[in-house]
Amino acid sequence: MEAELWWFIGTVTCLKVLLHPSYRSTDYDVHRHWLALTSSLPPSKWYTDESSPHTLDYPPLFAAFEYLLSLPASLLVPSAVDLRPPKPSSAVDPVVLFQRSTVALSDLLLFLGVHLSTRKMAEIGRRRVVYLLIVWSPALLMVDHVHFQYNGFLLGILLVSLACLEKGRDLMGGFIFAALICFKHLFAVAAPVYFVYLLRHYCRGGLKRGLLRFVAMGVVVGVVFAASFGPFLYYGQMQQVLRRLFPFGRGLCHAYWAPNFWVFYIIIDKVVAFLLAKLGFSVTESAASFTGGLVGESSTFSVLPQVTPIVTFLLVMVAISPCLWKAWRNPQPKHIIRWVAYAYTCGFLFGWHVHEKASLHFVIPLGLVAINSLEDARHYFVLSIVSCYSLFPLLFESQEYPIKVLLLVTHSTLMWMGFNSLHFRKETNLKRSDENRLIGWVGMMYLLGMLIVEIWGQFLHPFILGDRLPFLPLMLVSVYCAIGMMYSWIWQLRWIIKSN
């Protein structure tokens, strides 16, 4: 890797170490239990054990990853692999330090993905901006190194796969993407794009050659899935594994709504139900409230038609279809990152029980194309800020408030400087009209509105309303960020339709 990239890696690693004592969510307990589960029990019991509410619900390769982590853990921190360990006494507990360190160490795959994606860039300035956008991503720092998850190394696998496709190494790209799905099944949203692109780009060259390549790709992908799920098929547990991976009973939305299309659907349902009740019509209130706070799920509506998993699946497929058509007609490697990012955007906006953290699936890859043009930079600047701000409710304790604000403000400032340096340094005589600025007055007003939403939620709401309407600040964050996410989806769709 280049010295420049190592400098970015070194600085962000120091920051990750400083974040070790910070808040950790229940996801920490989930992954610690999976560490102990895979270490203490044979694979035949991984998906049937219910000794803890934190049951294993990731695919087998991630379970194998947890098992590999348990090997050094059993030597360095034996209590980490105890199925019923004592609760960590402090942030400097050895188990906490070990777990935090594994997240940081696994980010090496993210750095490898960034390296492979940027090593052919001739301009050092372009590479630096990409390092800034991805390696220093505040959203990844918040989700992985404060809240506690392993998104960095999974996104690194995605970037490695995309780098292979961009360079024409389709078989390797397909192999790595299949492995990614076997690590975390939610990445399968982009599978239709991969299938159409590889079918048209890799399986070409006449009937015989195309058929041989199709079989080769099928064998490679089949081997990955067989190695991952084969043992559980042998144990007769495939139905149990699938039930764990796809718990559709969780409901359409988490209680803290991800900022997507369903936010507006919920709001319309609530408003129409309220108006009908005021007009004297009988309206049945949903059994589970969508505005109850941070815990719980719901999928029941009072007025609008009920939404089922199959409905969300069909909406996602319809939304992705323009991208699939483009990939079928003209499968160009230079567009594959945009197509995959667009697929994940569609999954985020229209999917079933989407978590706000899933915005990383398209924000991180789009960091690789944000340097291509001023229009790309404008889009990414707003999208990155919206995505990061939508994650603020994850870190709800007061001691973490300065951390998340400083991360977002600092990164936004550096983005502004990086994009302006990249796109304006050679255009000294260019007038800074709205057409030639990084962000116009509309975007500026939207970001100022975000500041107002934050001031209301953190300061004015407790002062004016006290304990009344406790859901309102979270609802405002979701609705306001959903506007920005819908803008990003429309912008990406427009680009895909116009592209050649």
Side-chain angles (χ1 to χ4, degrees):
M1 295 185 188
E2 304 92 342
E4 289 273 348
L5 179 54
W6 279 116
W7 183 84
F8 278 84
I9 292 172
T11 52
V12 80
T13 301
C14 291
L15 181 55
K16 292 171 185 176
V17 173
L18 293 175
L19 292 174
H20 272 199
S22 56
Y23 159 82
R24 57 186 181 274
S25 71
T26 54
D27 283 336
Y28 165 81
D29 301 306
V30 171
H31 288 284
R32 199 224 57 81
H33 177 70
W34 293 357
L35 196 74
L37 173 74
T38 55
S39 175
S40 305
L41 299 178
S44 60
K45 295 185 178 180
W46 287 356
Y47 288 94
T48 58
D49 178 76
E50 295 184 354
S51 61
S52 165
H54 307 308
T55 52
L56 181 61
D57 58 4
Y58 271 33
L61 281 191
F62 196 93
F65 169 73
E66 293 279 10
Y67 172 74
L68 290 176
L69 293 181
S70 75
L71 298 179
S74 62
L75 298 175
L76 300 174
V77 196
S79 58
V81 295
D82 186 347
L83 275 174
R84 299 186 183 277
K87 195 167 183 65
S89 57
S90 67
V92 294
D93 184 283
V95 180
V96 177
L97 293 177
F98 178 82
Q99 287 284 83
R100 294 281 197 194
S101 300
T102 62
V103 179
L105 185 63
S106 66
D107 278 348
L108 287 173
L109 265 176
L110 175 68
F111 305 145
L112 175 62
V114 172
H115 166 67
L116 294 177
S117 301
T118 59
R119 62 180 177 174
K120 296 298 183 181
M121 291 181 183
E123 219 177 316
I124 186 62
R126 293 164 65 86
R127 294 202 298 271
R128 286 175 180 168
V129 174
V130 172
Y131 302 158
L132 162 67
L133 300 181
I134 299 179
V135 177
W136 283 3
S137 167
L140 266 179
L141 286 170
M142 287 165 52
V143 172
D144 280 11
H145 303 281
V146 180
H147 185 267
F148 194 91
Q149 284 198 347
Y150 288 91
N151 292 284
F153 101 92
L154 295 171
L155 290 165
I157 297 174
L158 175 64
L159 295 186
V160 172
S161 173
L162 292 173
C164 289
L165 296 188
E166 270 202 316
K167 293 169 176 58
R169 301 176 63 188
D170 291 348
L171 192 63
M172 180 60 70
F175 168 78
I176 294 172
F177 182 71
L180 175 61
I181 295 175
C182 293
F183 272 103
K184 189 171 183 178
H185 53 300
L186 299 182
F187 282 95
V189 174
V193 175
Y194 266 80
F195 178 80
V196 173
Y197 174 80
L198 292 174
L199 183 64
R200 293 288 290 160
H201 188 264
Y202 180 69
C203 304
R204 59 183 179 180
L207 180 61
K208 183 178 179 180
R209 185 182 181 189
L211 183 59
L212 287 174
R213 288 191 165 197
F214 181 82
V215 171
M217 183 65 72
V219 169
V220 166
V221 173
V223 166
V224 173
F225 277 87
S228 179
F229 290 93
F232 302 95
L233 183 63
Y234 174 77
Y235 301 141
Q237 296 178 4
M238 275 304 297
Q239 187 175 358
Q240 172 67 14
V241 172
L242 294 176
R243 188 159 47 240
R244 287 279 184 89
L245 298 184
F246 301 100
F248 291 120
R250 288 183 177 179
L252 174 64
C253 298
H254 195 269
Y256 168 55
W257 314 334
N260 60 14
F261 170 79
W262 301 116
V263 166
F264 305 110
Y265 196 82
I266 296 169
I267 293 294
I268 293 172
D269 180 76
K270 292 292 182 184
V271 170
V272 173
F274 174 79
L275 294 176
L276 290 177
K278 287 294 184 181
L279 293 173
F281 292 94
S282 176
V283 178
T284 302
E285 183 66 25
S286 59
S289 173
F290 279 104
T291 55
L294 280 172
V295 180
E297 301 96 9
S298 179
S299 60
T300 306
F301 296 91
S302 300
V303 178
L304 296 180
Q306 305 306 318
V307 179
T308 62
I310 189 63
V311 169
T312 61
F313 172 78
L314 292 174
L315 277 176
V316 171
M317 291 306 299
V318 169
I320 294 178
S321 59
C323 176
L324 300 180
W325 176 244
K326 286 286 186 175
W328 177 267
R329 290 195 62 188
N330 192 12
Q332 297 186 54
K334 66 179 182 180
H335 294 326
I336 188 61
I337 295 177
R338 293 182 187 268
W339 290 339
V340 168
Y342 175 76
Y344 287 130
T345 306
C346 295
F348 180 85
L349 283 174
F350 305 108
W352 178 268
H353 196 76
V354 174
H355 284 241
E356 64 284 349
K357 302 179 286 289
S359 63
L360 291 170
H361 292 185
F362 54 92
V363 173
I364 294 301
L366 284 174
L368 295 172
V369 300
I371 58 173
N372 289 351
S373 68
L374 178 57
E375 191 177 3
D376 286 310
R378 285 197 190 106
H379 166 250
Y380 190 85
F381 184 79
V382 174
L383 173 63
S384 177
I385 293 174
V386 171
S387 172
C388 187
Y389 180 66
S390 73
L391 301 173
F392 270 29
L394 291 177
L395 313 183
F396 53 86
E397 294 188 354
S398 57
Q399 60 265 33
E400 270 69 50
Y401 187 75
I403 294 176
K404 61 187 182 183
V405 171
L406 283 172
L407 285 175
L408 177 56
V409 171
T410 302
H411 192 259
S412 300
T413 303
L414 293 173
M415 268 202 305
W416 178 279
M417 295 168 60
F419 282 140
N420 274 285
S421 173
L422 190 64
H423 294 294
F424 295 120
R425 67 175 183 268
K426 296 178 181 178
E427 302 172 7
T428 54
N429 60 345
L430 190 66
K431 293 183 178 180
R432 294 298 184 88
S433 62
D434 279 346
E435 293 77 15
N436 296 314
R437 292 182 181 180
L438 179 60
I439 184 169
W441 69 269
V442 175
M444 187 62 69
M445 293 301 293
Y446 176 78
L447 295 179
L448 287 175
M450 186 180 296
L451 178 61
I452 294 171
V453 169
E454 181 64 12
I455 292 173
W456 167 264
Q458 290 297 320
F459 306 105
L460 298 182
H461 181 96
F463 179 75
I464 298 173
L465 296 179
D467 294 332
R468 289 178 293 167
L469 303 177
F471 61 86
L472 186 58
L474 288 177
M475 185 183 74
L476 289 176
V477 172
S478 295
V479 173
Y480 201 79
C481 290
I483 296 171
M485 292 295 183
M486 291 298 294
Y487 153 76
S488 174
W489 174 66
I490 294 170
W491 186 93
Q492 292 180 63
L493 177 60
R494 175 175 166 269
W495 188 95
I496 287 172
I497 292 174
K498 290 175 59 179
S499 64
N500 297 318

